[in-house]
Coordinates of all heavy atoms in Angstrom, one line a residue:
M1 N -105.5 140.8 -63.7 CA -104.8 141.2 -64.9 C -105.2 142.6 -65.4 O -106.4 142.9 -65.4 CB -105.1 140.1 -66.0 CG -104.5 140.4 -67.4 SD -105.0 139.3 -68.6 CE -104.7 137.7 -67.9
E2 N -104.3 143.4 -65.7 CA -104.6 144.7 -66.2 C -105.1 144.7 -67.6 O -104.4 144.0 -68.5 CB -103.3 145.6 -66.1 CG -103.6 147.0 -66.4 CD -102.3 147.9 -66.1 OE1 -101.6 147.6 -65.1 OE2 -102.1 148.8 -66.9
R3 N -106.2 145.3 -67.9 CA -106.7 145.3 -69.3 C -106.8 146.7 -69.9 O -106.9 147.7 -69.1 CB -108.1 144.7 -69.3 CG -108.2 143.2 -69.0 CD -109.5 142.6 -69.3 NE -110.6 143.3 -68.6 CZ -111.1 142.9 -67.4 NH1 -110.6 141.9 -66.8 NH2 -112.1 143.6 -66.9
E4 N -106.7 146.8 -71.2 CA -106.8 148.0 -71.9 C -108.2 148.2 -72.5 O -108.7 147.2 -73.0 CB -105.9 148.0 -73.2 CG -104.6 148.6 -73.1 CD -103.8 148.5 -74.4 OE1 -104.2 149.0 -75.4 OE2 -102.8 147.7 -74.3
Y5 N -108.8 149.3 -72.4 CA -110.1 149.5 -72.9 C -110.0 149.9 -74.4 O -109.0 150.6 -74.8 CB -110.9 150.6 -72.1 CG -111.3 150.1 -70.8 CD1 -110.4 150.2 -69.7 CD2 -112.5 149.4 -70.6 CE1 -110.8 149.6 -68.5 CE2 -112.9 148.8 -69.4 CZ -112.0 149.0 -68.3 OH -112.3 148.4 -67.1
V6 N -110.9 149.4 -75.2 CA -110.9 149.6 -76.6 C -112.3 150.1 -77.1 O -113.3 149.8 -76.5 CB -110.4 148.4 -77.4 CG1 -109.0 148.1 -77.1 CG2 -111.3 147.2 -77.1
E7 N -112.3 150.7 -78.3 CA -113.5 151.1 -79.0 C -113.9 149.9 -79.9 O -113.2 149.7 -80.9 CB -113.3 152.4 -79.8 CG -113.1 153.6 -79.0 CD -114.4 154.0 -78.2 OE1 -115.5 153.8 -78.8 OE2 -114.3 154.5 -77.1
S8 N -114.9 149.2 -79.5 CA -115.3 148.0 -80.3 C -116.7 147.7 -80.0 O -117.2 147.9 -78.9 CB -114.4 146.8 -79.9 OG -114.9 145.6 -80.4
S9 N -117.4 147.2 -81.0 CA -118.8 146.8 -80.9 C -119.0 145.5 -80.1 O -120.1 145.2 -79.6 CB -119.5 146.7 -82.2 OG -118.9 145.7 -83.0
M10 N -117.9 144.8 -79.9 CA -117.9 143.5 -79.3 C -117.1 143.4 -78.0 O -117.5 142.7 -77.1 CB -117.3 142.5 -80.3 CG -117.3 141.1 -79.9 SD -116.7 140.1 -81.4 CE -116.1 138.7 -80.5
I11 N -115.9 144.0 -78.0 CA -115.0 143.9 -76.9 C -114.8 145.2 -76.1 O -114.6 146.2 -76.7 CB -113.6 143.4 -77.5 CG1 -113.7 142.1 -78.1 CG2 -112.6 143.4 -76.4 CD1 -112.6 141.6 -78.9
R12 N -115.0 145.1 -74.8 CA -114.8 146.3 -74.0 C -113.3 146.5 -73.6 O -112.8 147.6 -73.6 CB -115.6 146.2 -72.7 CG -115.5 147.4 -71.8 CD -116.4 147.2 -70.6 NE -117.8 147.1 -71.0 CZ -118.8 146.6 -70.3 NH1 -118.5 146.0 -69.1 NH2 -120.0 146.5 -70.7
S13 N -112.6 145.4 -73.3 CA -111.2 145.5 -72.9 C -110.5 144.2 -73.1 O -111.2 143.2 -73.2 CB -111.1 146.0 -71.4 OG -111.6 145.0 -70.5
Y14 N -109.2 144.3 -73.1 CA -108.4 143.0 -73.2 C -107.1 143.2 -72.5 O -106.6 144.4 -72.3 CB -108.2 142.6 -74.7 CG -107.4 143.6 -75.5 CD1 -106.1 143.9 -75.4 CD2 -108.1 144.4 -76.5 CE1 -105.4 144.8 -76.2 CE2 -107.5 145.3 -77.3 CZ -106.1 145.5 -77.1 OH -105.5 146.4 -77.9
G15 N -106.5 142.1 -72.1 CA -105.2 142.2 -71.4 C -104.4 140.9 -71.7 O -105.0 139.9 -72.1
F16 N -103.1 140.9 -71.4 CA -102.3 139.7 -71.7 C -101.3 139.6 -70.5 O -100.7 140.5 -70.1 CB -101.5 139.9 -73.0 CG -100.7 138.7 -73.4 CD1 -101.3 137.6 -73.9 CD2 -99.3 138.7 -73.2 CE1 -100.6 136.4 -74.2 CE2 -98.6 137.5 -73.6 CZ -99.3 136.4 -74.0
D17 N -101.2 138.3 -70.0 CA -100.3 138.0 -69.0 C -99.2 137.2 -69.6 O -99.4 136.0 -69.9 CB -101.0 137.2 -67.9 CG -100.1 136.8 -66.7 OD1 -98.8 137.0 -66.8 OD2 -100.6 136.3 -65.7
S18 N -98.0 137.8 -69.8 CA -96.9 137.1 -70.5 C -96.4 135.9 -69.7 O -95.8 134.9 -70.2 CB -95.8 138.0 -70.9 OG -95.3 138.7 -69.7
S19 N -96.5 136.0 -68.3 CA -95.9 134.9 -67.5 C -96.7 133.6 -67.7 O -96.2 132.5 -67.5 CB -95.8 135.3 -66.1 OG -97.1 135.5 -65.5
S20 N -98.0 133.7 -68.0 CA -98.8 132.5 -68.2 C -99.4 132.3 -69.6 O -100.1 131.4 -69.9 CB -100.0 132.5 -67.2 OG -100.9 133.6 -67.5
S21 N -99.0 133.3 -70.5 CA -99.5 133.3 -71.9 C -101.0 133.2 -72.0 O -101.6 132.5 -72.8 CB -98.9 132.1 -72.7 OG -97.5 132.2 -72.7
T22 N -101.6 134.0 -71.1 CA -103.1 134.1 -71.0 C -103.6 135.4 -71.6 O -103.1 136.5 -71.2 CB -103.5 133.9 -69.6 OG1 -103.1 132.7 -69.1 CG2 -105.1 134.0 -69.5
L23 N -104.5 135.3 -72.5 CA -105.1 136.5 -73.1 C -106.5 136.6 -72.5 O -107.3 135.6 -72.5 CB -105.2 136.4 -74.6 CG -105.8 137.5 -75.5 CD1 -105.1 138.8 -75.2 CD2 -105.7 137.1 -76.9
E24 N -106.9 137.8 -72.0 CA -108.2 137.9 -71.4 C -109.0 139.0 -72.1 O -108.5 140.1 -72.5 CB -108.0 138.3 -69.9 CG -109.3 138.5 -69.1 CD -109.0 138.7 -67.7 OE1 -108.7 137.7 -66.9 OE2 -109.0 139.9 -67.2
F25 N -110.3 138.7 -72.3 CA -111.2 139.7 -72.9 C -112.4 139.9 -72.0 O -112.9 139.0 -71.4 CB -111.8 139.1 -74.2 CG -110.8 139.0 -75.3 CD1 -110.1 137.8 -75.6 CD2 -110.5 140.1 -76.1 CE1 -109.2 137.8 -76.6 CE2 -109.6 140.0 -77.2 CZ -108.9 138.9 -77.4
E26 N -112.8 141.2 -71.9 CA -114.0 141.6 -71.3 C -114.9 142.0 -72.5 O -114.6 142.9 -73.2 CB -113.9 142.7 -70.3 CG -115.2 143.1 -69.7 CD -115.1 144.4 -68.8 OE1 -114.0 145.0 -68.8 OE2 -116.1 144.7 -68.2
F27 N -116.0 141.3 -72.6 CA -116.9 141.6 -73.7 C -117.9 142.7 -73.3 O -118.1 143.0 -72.1 CB -117.6 140.4 -74.2 CG -116.6 139.4 -74.9 CD1 -116.0 138.4 -74.1 CD2 -116.3 139.5 -76.2 CE1 -115.1 137.5 -74.7 CE2 -115.4 138.7 -76.8 CZ -114.8 137.7 -76.1
N28 N -118.5 143.3 -74.3 CA -119.4 144.4 -74.0 C -120.6 144.0 -73.1 O -121.2 144.9 -72.5 CB -119.9 145.2 -75.3 CG -118.8 146.0 -75.8 OD1 -117.9 146.5 -75.1 ND2 -118.8 146.2 -77.1
N29 N -120.9 142.7 -73.1 CA -122.0 142.2 -72.3 C -121.6 142.0 -70.8 O -122.4 141.5 -70.0 CB -122.7 141.0 -72.9 CG -121.7 139.8 -72.9 OD1 -120.6 139.9 -72.5 ND2 -122.2 138.7 -73.5
G30 N -120.3 142.3 -70.5 CA -119.8 142.1 -69.2 C -119.1 140.8 -68.9 O -118.5 140.6 -67.8
V31 N -119.2 139.8 -69.8 CA -118.6 138.5 -69.6 C -117.1 138.6 -69.8 O -116.7 139.3 -70.7 CB -119.3 137.5 -70.5 CG1 -118.6 136.1 -70.4 CG2 -120.8 137.4 -70.2
I32 N -116.4 137.9 -69.0 CA -114.9 137.9 -69.1 C -114.5 136.4 -69.5 O -114.9 135.5 -68.8 CB -114.2 138.3 -67.9 CG1 -114.6 139.8 -67.6 CG2 -112.7 138.2 -68.0 CD1 -114.2 140.3 -66.2
W33 N -113.6 136.3 -70.5 CA -113.1 135.0 -70.9 C -111.6 135.1 -71.0 O -111.0 136.1 -71.3 CB -113.6 134.6 -72.3 CG -115.0 134.1 -72.3 CD1 -116.2 134.8 -72.4 CD2 -115.4 132.7 -72.3 NE1 -117.2 134.0 -72.4 CE2 -116.8 132.7 -72.4 CE3 -114.7 131.5 -72.3 CZ2 -117.5 131.5 -72.3 CZ3 -115.4 130.4 -72.3 CH2 -116.8 130.4 -72.3
Q34 N -110.9 134.0 -70.6 CA -109.5 133.9 -70.7 C -109.2 132.8 -71.8 O -109.9 131.7 -71.8 CB -108.9 133.5 -69.4 CG -108.9 134.6 -68.4 CD -108.2 134.3 -67.1 OE1 -108.0 133.1 -66.8 NE2 -107.8 135.3 -66.4
Y35 N -108.1 133.0 -72.5 CA -107.6 132.1 -73.6 C -106.2 131.8 -73.2 O -105.4 132.7 -72.9 CB -107.8 132.7 -75.0 CG -109.2 133.0 -75.3 CD1 -109.9 134.2 -74.8 CD2 -110.0 132.1 -76.0 CE1 -111.2 134.4 -75.0 CE2 -111.4 132.3 -76.2 CZ -112.0 133.4 -75.7 OH -113.3 133.6 -75.9
F36 N -105.9 130.5 -73.3 CA -104.6 130.0 -72.7 C -103.6 129.6 -73.8 O -104.0 129.2 -74.9 CB -104.8 128.8 -71.8 CG -105.8 129.2 -70.7 CD1 -107.1 128.7 -70.8 CD2 -105.5 130.0 -69.7 CE1 -108.1 129.0 -69.8 CE2 -106.4 130.4 -68.7 CZ -107.7 129.8 -68.8
D37 N -102.3 129.7 -73.5 CA -101.2 129.3 -74.4 C -101.2 130.2 -75.7 O -101.0 129.6 -76.7 CB -101.2 127.8 -74.7 CG -101.1 127.0 -73.4 OD1 -100.3 127.3 -72.6 OD2 -101.8 126.0 -73.3
V38 N -101.5 131.4 -75.5 CA -101.5 132.4 -76.6 C -100.1 133.0 -76.8 O -99.5 133.5 -75.8 CB -102.6 133.5 -76.4 CG1 -102.5 134.5 -77.5 CG2 -103.9 132.8 -76.3
A39 N -99.5 133.0 -77.9 CA -98.2 133.6 -78.2 C -98.3 135.1 -78.0 O -99.3 135.8 -78.4 CB -97.7 133.3 -79.6
E40 N -97.3 135.7 -77.3 CA -97.3 137.1 -77.1 C -97.3 137.9 -78.4 O -97.9 139.0 -78.5 CB -96.1 137.5 -76.2 CG -96.1 138.9 -75.7 CD -95.1 139.2 -74.7 OE1 -94.2 138.3 -74.4 OE2 -95.1 140.3 -74.1
S41 N -96.7 137.4 -79.4 CA -96.7 138.0 -80.7 C -98.1 138.2 -81.3 O -98.4 139.2 -81.9 CB -95.8 137.3 -81.7 OG -96.3 135.9 -81.9
L42 N -99.0 137.2 -81.0 CA -100.4 137.3 -81.5 C -101.1 138.4 -80.8 O -101.9 139.1 -81.4 CB -101.1 135.9 -81.3 CG -102.5 135.9 -81.8 CD1 -102.4 135.8 -83.4 CD2 -103.3 134.7 -81.3
F43 N -100.8 138.6 -79.5 CA -101.4 139.7 -78.7 C -101.0 141.0 -79.4 O -101.9 141.9 -79.6 CB -100.9 139.6 -77.3 CG -101.3 140.8 -76.5 CD1 -102.6 141.2 -76.2 CD2 -100.3 141.7 -76.0 CE1 -102.9 142.3 -75.4 CE2 -100.6 142.8 -75.3 CZ -101.9 143.1 -75.0
Y44 N -99.7 141.2 -79.7 CA -99.3 142.5 -80.3 C -99.9 142.6 -81.7 O -100.2 143.7 -82.1 CB -97.8 142.6 -80.3 CG -97.3 142.9 -78.9 CD1 -96.6 141.9 -78.2 CD2 -97.6 144.1 -78.3 CE1 -96.2 142.2 -76.9 CE2 -97.2 144.3 -77.0 CZ -96.4 143.4 -76.3 OH -96.0 143.6 -75.0
E45 N -100.0 141.5 -82.4 CA -100.6 141.6 -83.7 C -102.1 142.1 -83.6 O -102.6 142.9 -84.4 CB -100.6 140.2 -84.4 CG -101.0 140.2 -85.8 CD -100.9 138.8 -86.4 OE1 -100.1 138.0 -85.9 OE2 -101.6 138.5 -87.4
M46 N -102.8 141.6 -82.6 CA -104.2 142.0 -82.4 C -104.2 143.5 -82.0 O -105.1 144.2 -82.5 CB -104.8 141.2 -81.3 CG -106.3 141.5 -81.0 SD -106.9 140.8 -79.5 CE -106.1 141.7 -78.3
K47 N -103.3 143.9 -81.2 CA -103.3 145.3 -80.8 C -103.1 146.3 -82.0 O -103.7 147.4 -82.0 CB -102.2 145.6 -79.8 CG -102.4 145.1 -78.4 CD -101.3 145.5 -77.4 CE -101.3 146.9 -77.2 NZ -100.6 147.4 -76.0
S48 N -102.4 145.8 -83.0 CA -102.2 146.7 -84.1 C -103.2 146.5 -85.2 O -103.1 147.1 -86.3 CB -100.7 146.5 -84.6 OG -100.6 145.2 -85.1
S49 N -104.1 145.5 -85.1 CA -105.1 145.3 -86.1 C -106.1 146.4 -86.1 O -106.3 147.2 -85.2 CB -105.8 143.9 -85.8 OG -106.7 144.0 -84.7
G50 N -106.8 146.5 -87.2 CA -107.8 147.6 -87.4 C -109.1 147.3 -86.6 O -109.8 148.2 -86.2
S51 N -109.3 146.0 -86.2 CA -110.6 145.7 -85.5 C -110.3 144.5 -84.6 O -110.0 143.4 -85.0 CB -111.7 145.3 -86.5 OG -112.8 144.7 -85.8
C52 N -110.4 144.8 -83.3 CA -110.2 143.7 -82.3 C -111.2 142.6 -82.5 O -110.9 141.4 -82.3 CB -110.3 144.2 -80.9 SG -108.9 145.2 -80.4
G53 N -112.5 142.9 -82.7 CA -113.5 141.9 -82.9 C -113.3 141.0 -84.0 O -113.4 139.8 -83.9
K54 N -112.9 141.6 -85.2 CA -112.7 140.8 -86.4 C -111.4 139.9 -86.1 O -111.4 138.7 -86.5 CB -112.5 141.7 -87.6 CG -113.7 142.3 -88.1 CD -113.5 143.1 -89.3 CE -114.8 143.8 -89.8 NZ -114.6 144.7 -90.9
F55 N -110.4 140.5 -85.5 CA -109.2 139.7 -85.2 C -109.5 138.5 -84.3 O -109.1 137.4 -84.5 CB -108.1 140.6 -84.6 CG -106.8 139.9 -84.5 CD1 -105.9 140.0 -85.6 CD2 -106.5 139.1 -83.4 CE1 -104.6 139.3 -85.5 CE2 -105.2 138.5 -83.3 CZ -104.3 138.6 -84.3
F56 N -110.3 138.8 -83.3 CA -110.7 137.8 -82.3 C -111.4 136.7 -83.0 O -111.1 135.5 -82.8 CB -111.6 138.4 -81.2 CG -112.2 137.4 -80.3 CD1 -111.6 136.9 -79.3 CD2 -113.5 136.9 -80.6 CE1 -112.1 135.9 -78.4 CE2 -114.1 136.0 -79.8 CZ -113.4 135.5 -78.7
N57 N -112.4 137.0 -83.8 CA -113.2 136.0 -84.5 C -112.4 135.1 -85.5 O -112.5 133.9 -85.6 CB -114.4 136.6 -85.3 CG -115.5 137.0 -84.3 OD1 -115.7 136.3 -83.3 ND2 -116.2 138.1 -84.6
A58 N -111.4 135.8 -86.2 CA -110.6 135.1 -87.2 C -109.4 134.3 -86.6 O -109.0 133.3 -87.1 CB -110.1 136.1 -88.2
N59 N -108.9 134.7 -85.4 CA -107.6 134.2 -85.0 C -107.6 133.6 -83.6 O -106.7 132.9 -83.2 CB -106.5 135.3 -85.0 CG -106.3 135.8 -86.4 OD1 -105.8 135.1 -87.3 ND2 -106.8 137.0 -86.7
I60 N -108.6 133.9 -82.8 CA -108.6 133.4 -81.4 C -109.8 132.5 -81.0 O -109.6 131.4 -80.5 CB -108.6 134.7 -80.4 CG1 -107.3 135.4 -80.7 CG2 -108.7 134.2 -79.0 CD1 -107.2 136.8 -80.1
K61 N -111.0 133.0 -81.4 CA -112.2 132.2 -81.0 C -112.1 130.8 -81.6 O -111.9 130.6 -82.8 CB -113.4 132.9 -81.6 CG -114.7 132.3 -81.2 CD -115.9 133.1 -81.7 CE -117.2 132.4 -81.3 NZ -118.3 133.2 -81.8
G62 N -112.2 129.8 -80.8 CA -112.2 128.4 -81.2 C -110.8 127.8 -81.5 O -110.7 126.7 -81.8
Q63 N -109.8 128.6 -81.3 CA -108.4 128.2 -81.6 C -107.6 127.9 -80.3 O -106.6 127.2 -80.4 CB -107.7 129.3 -82.3 CG -108.3 129.8 -83.6 CD -108.4 128.7 -84.7 OE1 -107.4 128.1 -84.9 NE2 -109.5 128.6 -85.3
Y64 N -108.1 128.3 -79.2 CA -107.4 128.1 -77.9 C -108.3 127.5 -76.8 O -109.5 127.7 -76.8 CB -106.8 129.5 -77.4 CG -105.8 130.0 -78.4 CD1 -106.1 130.9 -79.4 CD2 -104.4 129.7 -78.3 CE1 -105.2 131.4 -80.3 CE2 -103.5 130.1 -79.2 CZ -103.9 131.0 -80.2 OH -102.9 131.5 -81.0
S65 N -107.6 126.9 -75.8 CA -108.4 126.5 -74.6 C -108.9 127.8 -74.0 O -108.2 128.8 -74.0 CB -107.5 125.8 -73.6 OG -107.0 124.6 -74.2
E66 N -110.1 127.7 -73.4 CA -110.7 128.9 -72.9 C -111.5 128.6 -71.6 O -111.8 127.5 -71.3 CB -111.6 129.5 -73.9 CG -112.8 128.6 -74.3 CD -113.6 129.1 -75.4 OE1 -113.1 129.8 -76.3 OE2 -114.8 128.7 -75.5
S67 N -111.7 129.7 -70.8 CA -112.5 129.6 -69.6 C -113.2 130.9 -69.3 O -112.5 131.9 -69.4 CB -111.5 129.2 -68.4 OG -112.3 129.1 -67.2
Q68 N -114.4 130.8 -69.0 CA -115.2 132.0 -68.6 C -114.8 132.2 -67.1 O -115.0 131.4 -66.3 CB -116.7 131.8 -68.7 CG -117.5 133.1 -68.4 CD -118.9 132.9 -68.7 OE1 -119.4 132.0 -69.4 NE2 -119.7 133.8 -68.2
V69 N -114.4 133.5 -66.8 CA -114.0 133.8 -65.5 C -114.8 134.9 -64.8 O -114.6 135.2 -63.7 CB -112.5 134.2 -65.4 CG1 -111.6 133.0 -65.8 CG2 -112.2 135.4 -66.3
G70 N -115.7 135.4 -65.5 CA -116.6 136.5 -65.0 C -117.8 136.8 -65.8 O -117.9 136.2 -66.9

């Protein structure tokens, strides 16, 4: 999955696969997690938010099925 790099104290990069509705994060510690069944509109909302980390904590963490992939 292609990811975009961001300036964040928590997140290094993120990407979205619209064919599987999977949102992927690479955290600054190098760990990669995928979140499943995420609406594409939420991905775009996150992209336009002021802080990816705050958006992640408020809207994604603990809200979706997840899997550590790296």
